[in-house]
Amino acid sequence: MRTLTKEIASKIGQTVTVQGWLHKKRLMGGLTFIVVRDRSGLAQVLVKDKDEVEKLREHQIGTVLSVEGLVVADDRAPGGAEIHDAKLSVEVPVMEQPPVEIDKPLDHDSGTLDTLFEYRPVGLRNPREQAVFKIQAEVIEALRQYFRRNDFTEVHTPKLLAAATEGGAEVFKMDYFGKEATLAQSPQFYKQMMVGVFERVYEMGSVYRAEPSATTRHMTEYVSVDAEFGFVTLSDLMDLLSGMLRAVADDLWEKCPKELTHWKAEKPLLPAKIPAISMAEIHQKYTDATGTSTIGEKDLRPDEERWICEYAKENLDSEAVFVTDWPAAEMKFYHKAQDEHPEFADRIDLIFRGIEIVTGSMRENRYDVVLQQLKDMAGGDPEAPGFKYFLMAMQAGMPPHGGFGMGLERLVQKMIGLKNVKEASLFPRDINRLAP
RNA sequence: GGGCUCGUAGUGAAGUUGGCCUAUCACGCCUCCCUGUCACGGAGGAGAUCGCCGGUUCGAAUCCGGUCGGGCCCGCCA
């Protein structure tokens, strides 16, 4: 019977067998400490028998071990318990030293990220790297719970598409049995269609962007958290997002204290309602504060995004900000303009700790209007397979609805405090990395 | 796509106004010592044709040209 390392503290006085990877060897002469890693964590084994220690000669970290011994309580042991009188059995010997260190923090300086990713299959065994993805898994779990609490249905939409979807971002083209197909850059049209079915839906899945962006916040493949719901206003959407971000943070700091400590992560300051500031006002404040004029610009500069978050943290007790009142000239065809001020789109971005993690908007739900906007704003062909079925759903009756897309890795990056979004991806894909 | 910047043992760095470099340090690895370590400690050792090609020079890690591969910022976006 296998005992997990996390269970040994509750098995004092019992003989147990743990299985895992050799994580650390400390030879002290007459006694040797061995640390074994399994899925639940680490356990210390004390070996005094020279013959037992000899079994590990020249065996590298990563060697697969089975260890049988007596669990003894000792304040000097990590976790208050360790295994004594151990009989070691090497299940899978490893004689090659790992290319990167597993038992000490790996370098995350920007200049060395290439090495970090090149050796990911091994480097991810490092507990501190693992922690990133334990946190990511918990974020997914918290989001799923939050959406379910709010009566959303989870869906999975196709990523192989007949044609480009939203326009704007570049899409990957590929051969599909002699026809041209594209990879989805978002589930936008499908999740809107599903509003007509379930009213409230969400999806968490990979999307693909063929943009030649070489920055700390872009990847060509990332996990998009998408939600869409009907019979709502932009205000409802902002409330949903405010609640969501807080739910994730609360859950994370409750469930993953150890993992967060690895990264010295600080719980974000998030009010019940994240403050909303119009783009024009941000431009004005930024211009006043820095002397660099951005007034009239149609988007926020990256530096403005960083600046407004600092401002909000100091003055509004929030590390996140909604940016409202985007110029309608920058609207996508499926967006809805504001009823009272049609020069603005009914759109928000959510900026968290200096980076845009969410874009959301109300969608144009009137068939005639969205059809016209498609022709006028996107030059789209209503009969093209990329638009035809979307329009079919719109014509079949759509309530006022809206939704958002959020970059999972960006959220994890900012919760932890990583410098590059790629550090929050198991196997990141960017403009010049396709492997591992 | 534009601008800037970097490439030195398995890993991270120093050296880069040419010679003192037979290339330095730390981690890791190997050998030995060490009975309470937990980033253990101590002694010794192996490991690098300084990304690659060409040039300048008596002499190149260092200067020049080319080339390959990274990174950061901007644009665009999540």
Side-chain angles (χ1 to χ4, degrees), chain A residues 73-90:
Chain A
D74 193 319
D75 290 341
R76 294 170 296 184
E82 62 189 3
I83 296 174
H84 284 199
D85 303 324
K87 288 274 179 285
L88 305 181
S89 172
V90 174

Side-chain angles (χ1 to χ4, degrees), chain A residues 200-219:
Chain A
R200 299 183 163 209
V201 296
Y202 72 100
E203 173 169 14
M204 301 189 278
S206 296
V207 294
Y208 306 88
R209 305 263 166 118
E211 291 168 53
S213 304
T215 76
T216 52
R217 55 191 187 282
H218 289 90
M219 295 190 286

Side-chain angles (χ1 to χ4, degrees), chain A residues 237-406:
Chain A
L237 177 57
M238 290 195 280
D239 288 348
L240 181 80
L241 283 164
S242 290
M244 183 187 80
L245 209 53
R246 251 159 77 114
V248 169
D250 286 346
D251 184 271
L252 227 41
W253 262 263
E254 181 192 341
K255 305 271 180 57
C256 298
K258 195 174 64 181
E259 286 79 8
L260 291 161
T261 302
H262 267 118
W263 292 97
K264 299 182 170 65
E266 287 183 24
K267 190 172 181 182
L269 202 55
L270 294 168
K273 273 183 186 282
I274 293 171
I277 312 179
S278 74
M279 173 168 300
E281 192 179 346
I282 295 175
H283 283 330
Q284 186 64 55
K285 285 184 188 304
Y286 179 81
T287 300
D288 290 346
T290 65
T292 303
S293 177
T294 57
I295 289 166
E297 289 191 5
K298 294 184 170 90
D299 200 346
L300 255 40
R301 294 183 185 178
D303 192 51
E304 277 183 294
E305 296 182 344
R306 293 185 279 268
W307 183 87
I308 194 63
C309 283
E310 286 301 313
Y311 173 87
K313 187 177 181 182
E314 284 177 31
N315 300 289
L316 305 171
D317 293 324
S318 177
E319 292 186 65
V321 176
F322 283 119
V323 184
T324 64
D325 300 309
W326 291 68
E330 301 300 300
M331 265 171 58
K332 290 176 178 170
F333 84 87
Y334 56 86
H335 284 172
K336 190 173 180 303
Q338 293 178 11
D339 290 328
E340 312 242 321
H341 300 282
E343 69 274 23
F344 293 119
D346 227 355
R347 169 189 168 183
I348 47 96
D349 272 17
L350 176 57
I351 311 181
F352 177 48
R353 290 180 165 174
I355 197 173
E356 172 190 334
I357 62 167
V358 170
T359 293
S361 78
M362 293 304 292
R363 322 303 190 187
E364 180 50 68
N365 64 307
R366 294 164 296 183
Y367 173 71
D368 293 343
V369 179
V370 77
L371 180 62
Q372 197 57 45
Q373 287 188 175
L374 171 63
K375 292 174 183 168
D376 295 347
M377 299 166 68
D381 174 7
E383 291 304 313
F387 299 122
K388 180 180 166 186
Y389 302 98
F390 169 70
L391 291 168
M392 185 188 287
M394 298 304 291
Q395 194 171 27
M398 291 294 287
H401 65 286
F404 67 87
M406 175 172 71

Side-chain angles (χ1 to χ4, degrees), chain A residues 147-148 150-154 200-202 227-229 240:
Chain A
F147 284 127
R148 290 186 71 103
N150 284 281
D151 224 10
F152 281 69
T153 299
E154 181 165 10
R200 299 183 163 209
V201 296
Y202 72 100
E228 199 76 17
F229 60 159
L240 181 80

Side-chain angles (χ1 to χ4, degrees), chain A residues 78-128:
Chain A
E82 62 189 3
I83 296 174
H84 284 199
D85 303 324
K87 288 274 179 285
L88 305 181
S89 172
V90 174
E91 306 292 346
V92 181
V94 175
M95 313 309 275
E96 290 293 318
Q97 76 164 298
V100 290
E101 288 176 55
I102 290 170
D103 60 319
K104 288 179 182 163
L106 295 177
D107 208 301
H108 277 245
D109 287 347
S110 63
T112 67
L113 286 183
D114 197 45
T115 306
L116 186 70
F117 299 141
E118 180 63 21
Y119 299 119
R120 275 252 126 160
V122 180
L124 285 168
R125 295 181 175 204
N126 188 298
R128 198 166 73 125

